[in-house]
Amino acid sequence: MQTIAERVIEHAHSLPEGTLISAKELLHLGSRAAIDQALKRLEDHKELMRLGRGLYVLPIKTRFGTRAPAPEKVVERLAASRAETIVPHGAAAANRLGLTTQVPTKLVYLTSGRNRQFKLGAQTVELHHAPQWMLLPTQPAAGQAVRALAWLGQKRAAEALTMLKQKLPESTLQELVALRPALPGWMSRSISQKLVANG
């Protein structure tokens, strides 16, 4: 008969990469105490990676060795399991949009949830609570532009919007214009001046 640890690891292997594993979701396999013990044992044997208190992920085994799951996959699963909005930080958005060549050294995300961080292999992933206007997921491209502008700041907004006007499709620019009422005054003004006034 399989041990609880074997059943836990079998279950973990059936999940998509980056899925969070916690005792609460494994109670169908045994008692809470037995599950906690199994998770601890699996962590000690490096079968599971601990993210934080009671939270684990399955490491990915490759022919080159074992690695942590992709951070964006873990963050995606975390957002889904906690019903949070989590989006890349403005520095990452600015880099992705070609507004800066600076590559963020830290993995920072903005969240509707609380501030926290967790280790993912050698990397630390930071989650920073952010206001609703910075977490606009309904229009991903426009939301990304908003976060990039917020990170670049008021002084560099005009220059960044001039670049975005050349890079982004018209539909995304229109979404950005439509978001003005939700944005801080300086950003709303910059968008009006660059994307509306000049036609």
Side-chain angles (χ1 to χ4, degrees):
M1 203 169 122
Q2 276 185 314
T3 65
I4 288 179
E6 284 167 346
R7 284 157 72 191
V8 166
I9 205 72
E10 192 177 279
H11 172 73
H13 279 289
S14 72
L15 303 168
E17 180 178 339
T19 300
L20 305 179
I21 299 158
S22 71
K24 263 192 253 179
E25 288 135 27
L26 300 168
L27 293 176
H28 60 288
L29 299 177
S31 72
R32 180 62 195 251
I35 298 290
D36 284 341
Q37 221 175 355
L39 288 169
K40 182 78 188 83
R41 196 172 306 134
L42 289 165
E43 183 200 348
D44 292 344
H45 289 126
K46 306 217 176 329
E47 293 282 327
L48 287 178
M49 286 177 130
R50 184 174 178 269
L51 291 189
R53 205 166 130 232
L55 263 193
Y56 301 85
V57 287
L58 184 71
I60 307 301
K61 290 190 167 83
T62 70
R63 59 197 183 99
F64 304 110
T66 304
R67 66 166 175 85
E72 57 277 8
K73 290 209 161 94
V74 175
V75 167
E76 208 177 283
R77 308 269 177 231
L78 181 67
S81 69
R82 296 287 185 276
E84 281 179 43
T85 300
I86 303 179
V87 292
H89 186 268
N95 179 266
R96 207 170 288 165
L97 289 167
L99 300 174
T100 177
T101 50
Q102 206 177 319
V103 179
T105 49
K106 285 199 293 191
L107 286 174
V108 183
Y109 290 84
L110 303 176
T111 176
S112 57
R114 60 186 172 78
N115 288 343
R116 57 211 191 274
Q117 62 176 38
F118 57 83
K119 292 282 284 176
L120 199 53
Q123 290 181 306
T124 298
V125 179
E126 292 180 20
L127 299 176
H128 294 248
H129 177 76
Q132 196 52 46
W133 64 267
M134 287 180 87
L135 300 169
L136 298 155
T138 41
Q139 295 107 339
Q144 189 164 263
V146 164
R147 287 185 288 282
L149 290 169
W151 178 74
L152 290 164
Q154 197 166 348
K155 286 195 174 76
R156 293 164 69 194
E159 179 198 344
L161 281 160
T162 303
M163 288 169 76
L164 288 176
K165 200 170 173 181
Q166 292 158 0
K167 288 171 183 278
L168 296 176
E170 186 58 34
S171 58
T172 303
L173 296 173
Q174 288 314 310
E175 284 172 3
L176 206 46
V177 167
L179 287 172
R180 283 175 304 169
L183 303 175
W186 67 266
M187 197 183 290
S188 187
R189 275 193 302 280
S190 294
I191 291 170
S192 294
Q193 286 159 3
K194 286 288 165 191
L195 302 184
V196 183
N198 306 340

